[in-house]
Amino acid sequence: MASALIAAVPAPPTGLCVPPGVYRPQADTGLLAQALVHEGIGPGTDVMDIGTGSGALALLAASRGARVTAVDVSRRAVAAARLNGTRLGLPVRVLHGDFAAVSRGRRFDIVLANPPYVPSPRARLPERGPGRAWEGGEAGREVIDRICARASALLRPGGVLLMVHSVLCGSRTTVDHLRRTGLSAEITMRGVVPWGPVLRSRRAWLEEQGLVGVGEEREGLVIVRAERPGR
């Protein structure tokens, strides 16, 4: 699949119930939704959605007939995703907990991941609160690297991982990590969006770390697509 440069990311899905404390679908959700549609999912496709939040991507997959398992560490997010599935009449199995634990022994045709990826001055990930949806540790890669290490075990032969994250995290690092596990991996989509409030609030720290230039106000997003060989 050829890489596509997208100057502006379209709006994410709307009309979902997103209570306080649950990650609201944003530009990264919209970009990942585009990538998912390109995979041609349909009835019989087994999909896992890691970090489902409000369930936007899980419900998109379910609306096309896929069998979907969604997971989130936030109990509020799990409740919201279940509620949205009920409201829309779409069957989605939503589980609370760590993705590696709840998926043990299962393999999927497609794994979606919108992990927390914002670099943070705090090395430890938060254990509660809405920040769990975006805080990725000092390099922004705490959860990304766990997904990379586990991806091959989650995929059936021919299965595909679609993961979105910021270029601040090192997109080449993600591709290299996935390839070392035996997957074919590449960046297939890119987007550029204005900074949100979290990045703006830590501008000085990001500049000190050399992660952004002085006065920078736009963030690059990437979709990394990895496929397990065989069918």
Side-chain angles (χ1 to χ4, degrees), residues 95-125:
L95 304 176
H96 173 257
D98 178 77
F99 77 92
V102 302
S103 66
R104 189 168 290 118
R106 296 192 61 195
R107 292 181 184 268
F108 301 87
D109 300 304
I110 296 178
V111 172
L112 303 170
N114 185 357
Y117 55 70
V118 178
S120 170
R122 295 172 291 278
R124 294 187 61 183
L125 299 181

Side-chain angles (χ1 to χ4, degrees), residues 26-217:
Q26 299 183 41
D28 49 6
T29 315
L31 193 62
L32 193 52
Q34 280 195 26
L36 174 61
V37 169
H38 287 168
E39 293 298 325
I41 61 174
T45 306
D46 277 323
V47 175
M48 182 178 195
D49 182 23
I50 297 174
T52 196
S54 65
L57 293 165
L59 294 167
L60 172 60
S63 72
R64 295 178 174 241
R67 294 188 296 264
V68 185
T69 299
V71 60
D72 205 293
V73 296
S74 165
R75 293 188 184 277
R76 286 192 182 190
V78 168
R82 288 174 177 168
L83 174 62
N84 285 321
T86 299
R87 290 174 66 232
L88 295 175
L90 294 170
V92 174
R93 184 182 185 215
V94 188
L95 304 176
H96 173 257
D98 178 77
F99 77 92
V102 302
S103 66
R104 189 168 290 118
R106 296 192 61 195
R107 292 181 184 268
F108 301 87
D109 300 304
I110 296 178
V111 172
L112 303 170
N114 185 357
Y117 55 70
V118 178
S120 170
R122 295 172 291 278
R124 294 187 61 183
L125 299 181
E127 296 181 358
R128 58 179 60 86
R132 285 188 296 178
W134 61 78
E135 296 289 0
E138 288 180 310
R141 297 195 57 87
E142 290 296 315
V143 181
I144 291 172
D145 285 337
R146 290 190 62 231
I147 293 172
C148 288
R150 180 72 179 159
S152 181
L154 288 174
L155 296 173
R156 292 173 176 161
V160 170
L161 166 72
L162 297 171
M163 177 158 55
V164 63
H165 66 69
S166 172
V167 297
L168 298 179
C169 307
S171 47
R172 191 72 238 173
T173 300
T174 300
V175 169
D176 290 343
H177 191 163
L178 289 164
R179 287 178 176 174
R180 287 196 300 270
T181 69
L183 304 179
S184 62
E186 60 182 329
I187 297 166
T188 55
M189 301 179 75
R190 298 178 184 270
V192 180
V193 295
W195 275 15
V198 176
L199 287 182
R200 291 198 298 269
S201 72
R202 57 189 62 165
R203 175 186 296 278
W205 180 81
L206 291 167
E207 291 178 356
E208 289 173 3
Q209 302 303 306
L211 294 173
V212 302
V214 176
E216 195 167 332
E217 295 183 349

